[in-house]
Amino acid sequence: MSAPALRALLFRALRAGFRLTPMPVATRDRLRQRFLARHADLVPTGPTGKAAAPSPHRSLDHAGHRLLGHVGLTRAALPSPLPATIVAFYLPQFHPTPENDAWWGKGFTEWRNVTRALPQFEGHAQPRLPGDLGYYDLRVPGTMRDQVDIAKAYGVSAFATYFYWFAGKTLLEEPLRHWLDDRSIDFPLALCWANENWSRRWDGRANDVLIGQAHSPDDDLAFIEYVAPYLRDPRYLRVDGKPVLMVYRPGLLPDARATAARWRTWCRDHGIGDLHLVYVQSFDNVDPASIGFDAAAGFPPNNTSLSPITAAHRLINPAYAGEILDWRALARQAMSADAPGYTLYPGINPGWDNEARRSGRGRTYVHATPRAFEVWARHAIGQAQKRSPKAPLVFVNAWNEWAEGAVLEPDARYGYAWLEAIRRAFGAPRTLSARPCAVIHVWYPELLEELVVALRATGKDFRVVLTVPSEKEAAVRAEVARLSLKADLFVTPNRGRDILPFLRVARQLLDEGEDLVVKLHTKRSVHRDDGAAWRAELVGRLIAPERTAAALEAFASRPELGTVAPEGHVQPLGFYWGANEANVDYLCSLMGIAQPDVRTDTFIAGSMFWCRLAALVPLLDAPLAEADFSPEAGQVDGTMAHAVERVVTLAAAHGGFLNVTAASLVGQPDAPPAPYAYAQRG
């Protein structure tokens, strides 16, 4: 047996015995932390990833491409009062200090870690680059003011800022002093004492300590006296009038209950009054009352145990020794957890990836999306209102942990989408529209009339949305006017054929509450002699009047229905696989769905279909950018657009939705198996 296998076996045996041994939670926390601090080398590595595909399928020029889900800065009314107080953990690391100069090199800030990160597997979003705020320097007082302005616009109510105190020495305090001295920064802070050692490993453990803690009764009193000016500030975050003071790892204190008592006594004796003490569930899980505290704050992904999915991903770096996990499982675990018998403020997380701090050995959570984060945030708000109705706090990890991939601030890829998710979570879920929507891609303006006539013949009130390549805009607008057509126009670059524009507009329609869409396009297929017949057959089998009525009735009565395809155009995936296999594999990995079985899975050829937009969420929210789609060059197969066409029904099936044919909805038989008339098998 190899050394890694022996290490893994030993670790699993020790962990199993540890979990079976009865002991108090506080004792379990303390022993676990002590073991990890001293024997981290015994923790086995997870499974390795797959070999890289023959060619990469992500943009390799830079990591700052705007995704289709990018959101710009907007300002909108917020509920008053807010249904919960959103408190985001805040890292004051982004400015040079003499200590960091000595430890890491002159001019070091966290940005150096951030920008040196490299992608380790296909779809790995590294480096994680900032958006509108840029590579800021927190020595500049205006920086925090800009952060506060953004936070307020989206309903973030306070920062829980890490405070670095080491037996009388503070580090990285300059930004907090700016806040203390500048009353124009009208925004609450709460101090969170990061009471662990600073180590070269960035994990607070005992290995290679740069500066250590010296916990003692005297240090407790010195600490509380030092932070008293913050606690007295009228802007400071309070619960029931009491300043909120947080401790990151109470298990490292020799006697947390005694520390809490000293702090409370000192604050009462010096005119501050009582404290609201909160510990962070980063490593500890005890009842806060057992250590003299008032509450705990959730801190995902810490204190969670998930199975890695590293083996499902293709590696860019063959030597990668990190771990890949599924963020969706993290969110599900948090939302399904039972409430403890004490005050636990819910914690939420918009993502995690500490590759920047642990090159080639990081821990990365994939498949985090703003839409799913909104669901988690709404759930956490509801839980906070139930658990502590007088002070419903929700903690977010984090505002600006750039080197750990936990960021609410605007970034280059998503913009303000994570903050927009917070703002949306304050409101009720969107009400779905009862009106069907027709999304038509118009490359051939002269064919638009044919589709409009077919839609009007259904007698249904469609919302019509036209996606239009920029060079066709004038001609399409003229045709819209001639047809007296009421339509929304989305003008896009000529890239990704009808597919990329559909992904763009479908995301927006879903956000607006649209539910049912029929996707059409002015298909001519000039490389074939039968392009017109292909188009007519697709359109007729989808939106003939009786079929439209049947589709709408089916979607209304069958919530599990995901897509409706024109019969005869549902083709085996393996028939057209060679040029598309690598791209489909990559797309499935991005979406977080199972790789297809080319023997049994099918796709809708011709890319015209009915769909419930919710069924396509895995595809619509996949982290795709325009740069992932090849410039138009007349390709007939093998592009990202062709790959997207092949995963539509796979995405729906992943969510438990059904894919059926239009013929089945009107009681007609499906087309008999036969060679596909409109494409050659390859």
Side-chain angles (χ1 to χ4, degrees):
M1 185 178 292
S2 65
L6 281 171
R7 186 173 66 241
L9 182 63
L10 175 61
F11 179 81
R12 286 195 292 269
L14 290 172
R15 183 173 60 183
F18 181 71
R19 289 177 173 175
L20 291 172
T21 303
M23 65 183 78
V25 173
T27 303
R28 187 179 299 278
D29 288 345
R30 185 171 63 254
L31 292 176
R32 183 178 64 250
Q33 294 176 44
R34 188 175 297 171
F35 174 86
L36 292 174
R38 290 166 171 76
H39 304 292
D41 56 313
L42 288 179
V43 179
T45 57
T48 58
K50 297 184 289 187
S55 60
H57 301 282
R58 67 185 302 275
S59 300
L60 296 179
D61 49 352
H62 64 82
H65 288 290
R66 287 188 172 188
L67 299 181
L68 303 185
H70 184 279
V71 174
L73 173 66
T74 59
R75 297 185 185 273
L78 292 163
S80 183
L82 290 171
T85 298
I86 305 294
V87 184
F89 284 96
Y90 181 93
L91 182 69
Q93 172 70 280
F94 300 95
H95 66 290
T97 68
E99 294 80 11
N100 275 338
D101 285 351
W103 293 329
W104 305 104
K106 189 168 180 60
F108 174 86
T109 74
E110 190 80 299
W111 293 125
R112 187 175 298 177
N113 282 334
V114 170
T115 56
R116 74 178 183 178
L118 294 172
Q120 302 295 312
F121 52 89
E122 284 198 342
H124 192 195
Q126 285 291 354
R128 181 79 178 269
L129 303 176
D132 287 2
L133 292 172
Y135 298 97
Y136 51 75
D137 186 334
L138 288 178
R139 293 174 300 180
V140 179
T143 299
M144 184 180 285
R145 195 175 297 113
D146 291 341
Q147 292 172 315
V148 164
D149 177 62
I150 291 171
K152 285 182 172 181
Y154 288 92
V156 176
S157 297
F159 291 149
T161 179
Y162 294 110
F163 191 80
Y164 300 99
W165 163 276
F166 300 90
K169 182 176 181 59
T170 62
L171 298 177
L172 303 174
E173 193 187 359
E174 185 174 352
L176 309 185
R177 284 287 166 179
H178 286 318
W179 175 86
L180 194 61
D181 297 337
D182 186 352
R183 296 305 176 92
S184 70
I185 307 177
D186 185 19
F187 194 71
L189 293 186
L191 299 185
C192 178
W193 181 19
N195 63 314
E196 60 185 5
N197 297 328
W198 265 22
S199 69
R200 196 165 290 277
R201 288 165 51 104
W202 299 97
D203 57 11
R205 293 176 180 168
N207 308 72
D208 202 356
V209 173
L210 300 172
I211 184 170
Q213 295 289 348
H215 298 301
S216 70
D218 288 342
D219 189 55
D220 290 343
L221 294 174
F223 170 83
I224 199 68
E225 181 178 5
Y226 187 88
V227 302
Y230 292 98
L231 305 179
R232 289 191 174 99
D233 192 288
R235 297 167 294 169
Y236 194 86
L237 181 64
R238 286 172 164 75
V239 167
D240 195 24
K242 303 171 184 177
V244 175
L245 182 59
M246 305 180 70
V247 176
Y248 186 63
R249 295 183 64 176
L252 296 180
L253 298 172
D255 186 342
R257 177 181 285 277
T259 295
R262 290 185 194 101
W263 287 349
R264 293 186 194 276
T265 298
W266 192 95
C267 287
R268 285 194 293 265
D269 291 347
H270 291 81
I272 294 174
D274 199 4
L275 297 170
H276 187 72
L277 293 177
V278 180
Y279 84 84
V280 180
Q281 288 197 332
S282 53
F283 293 83
D284 303 272
N285 295 281
V286 298
D287 184 334
S290 70
I291 58 171
F293 279 56
D294 300 292
F299 193 72
N302 282 33
N303 257 337
T304 58
S305 180
L306 301 174
S307 298
I309 58 171
T310 316
H313 289 263
R314 294 193 180 274
L315 301 182
I316 295 173
N317 173 15
Y320 176 66
E323 193 172 55
I324 307 171
L325 302 110
D326 194 331
W327 178 93
R328 298 169 301 183
L330 176 73
R332 287 194 298 267
Q333 186 180 87
M335 289 189 282
S336 63
D338 295 331
Y342 54 81
T343 300
L344 172 63
Y345 298 124
I348 58 177
N349 163 257
W352 178 271
D353 182 3
N354 65 353
E355 173 63 31
R357 288 183 171 176
R358 298 176 58 81
S359 181
R361 297 177 295 113
R363 173 174 287 190
T364 301
Y365 285 76
V366 294
H367 310 315
T369 68
R371 193 183 313 278
F373 179 60
E374 175 189 337
V375 173
W376 191 1
R378 180 176 287 110
H379 179 273
I381 289 169
Q383 290 298 105
Q385 291 172 327
K386 292 177 183 177
R387 296 177 185 176
S388 47
K390 293 183 179 179
L393 271 60
V394 174
F395 285 83
V396 184
N397 181 26
W399 176 262
N400 62 340
E401 281 280 11
W402 287 94
E404 294 181 341
V407 180
L408 281 182
E409 285 183 326
D411 69 4
R413 285 158 51 86
Y414 277 107
Y416 293 80
W418 303 103
L419 286 163
E420 182 67 31
I422 293 281
R423 185 159 63 190
R424 286 179 173 171
F426 290 132
R430 300 162 196 75
T431 301
L432 295 179
S433 171
R435 180 175 61 163
C437 183
V439 175
I440 306 173
H441 185 66
V442 188
W443 175 252
Y444 298 106
E446 65 274 19
L447 297 180
L448 178 59
E449 181 176 7
E450 177 184 316
L451 299 181
V452 171
V453 168
L455 285 173
R456 287 172 172 168
T458 68
K460 304 298 182 182
D461 180 24
F462 280 89
R463 175 184 176 181
V464 178
V465 179
L466 307 180
T467 59
V468 182
S470 52
E471 58 265 51
K472 303 286 185 174
E473 180 181 3
V476 172
R477 289 192 182 278
E479 190 68 1
V480 166
R482 186 183 73 82
L483 296 170
S484 300
L485 176 64
K486 183 179 179 181
D488 301 318
L489 265 65
F490 287 82
V491 181
T492 68
N494 181 27
R495 192 161 182 158
R497 308 280 174 88
D498 58 299
I499 297 293
L500 177 56
F502 175 75
L503 295 181
R504 290 187 190 278
V505 77
R507 287 183 55 91
Q508 182 170 330
L509 293 173
L510 184 59
D511 288 341
E512 292 174 1
E514 296 291 353
D515 185 24
L516 304 180
V517 165
V518 60
K519 178 186 178 299
L520 308 169
H521 58 106
T522 57
K523 188 176 186 66
R524 177 168 278 170
S525 301
V526 294
H527 64 288
R528 300 185 58 86
D529 296 332
D530 54 0
W534 193 0
R535 179 184 68 254
E537 188 172 298
L538 290 165
V539 172
R541 292 181 179 181
L542 285 173
I543 59 170
E546 71 281 4
R547 289 174 173 238
T548 295
L552 295 180
E553 191 282 328
F555 277 114
S557 61
R558 299 170 62 185
E560 76 281 7
L561 186 57
T563 66
V564 174
E567 70 273 14
H569 298 270
V570 178
Q571 295 297 301
L573 201 61
F575 279 15
Y576 313 97
W577 193 233
N580 298 295
E581 179 179 3
N583 277 336
V584 170
D585 179 86
Y586 174 60
L587 265 178
C588 290
S589 178
L590 282 188
M591 292 189 290
I593 69 174
Q595 296 297 324
D597 185 337
V598 296
R599 299 167 300 176
T600 57
D601 285 323
T602 59
F603 75 101
I604 304 171
S607 70
M608 297 195 206
F609 50 83
W610 283 92
C611 69
R612 190 187 305 276
L613 289 177
L616 302 191
V617 162
L619 174 58
L620 299 182
D621 286 355
L624 288 168
E626 181 180 303
D628 289 304
F629 293 79
S630 305
E632 181 56 41
Q635 305 96 321
V636 297
D637 204 2
T639 69
M640 186 60 73
H642 291 98
V644 171
E645 181 182 16
R646 282 154 176 78
V647 302
V648 168
T649 53
L650 300 179
H654 172 79
F657 291 93
L658 297 179
N659 303 299
V660 304
T661 64
S664 69
L665 300 182
V666 292
Q668 296 179 2
D670 281 337
Y676 192 46
Y678 302 105
Q680 293 183 350
R681 178 174 174 176

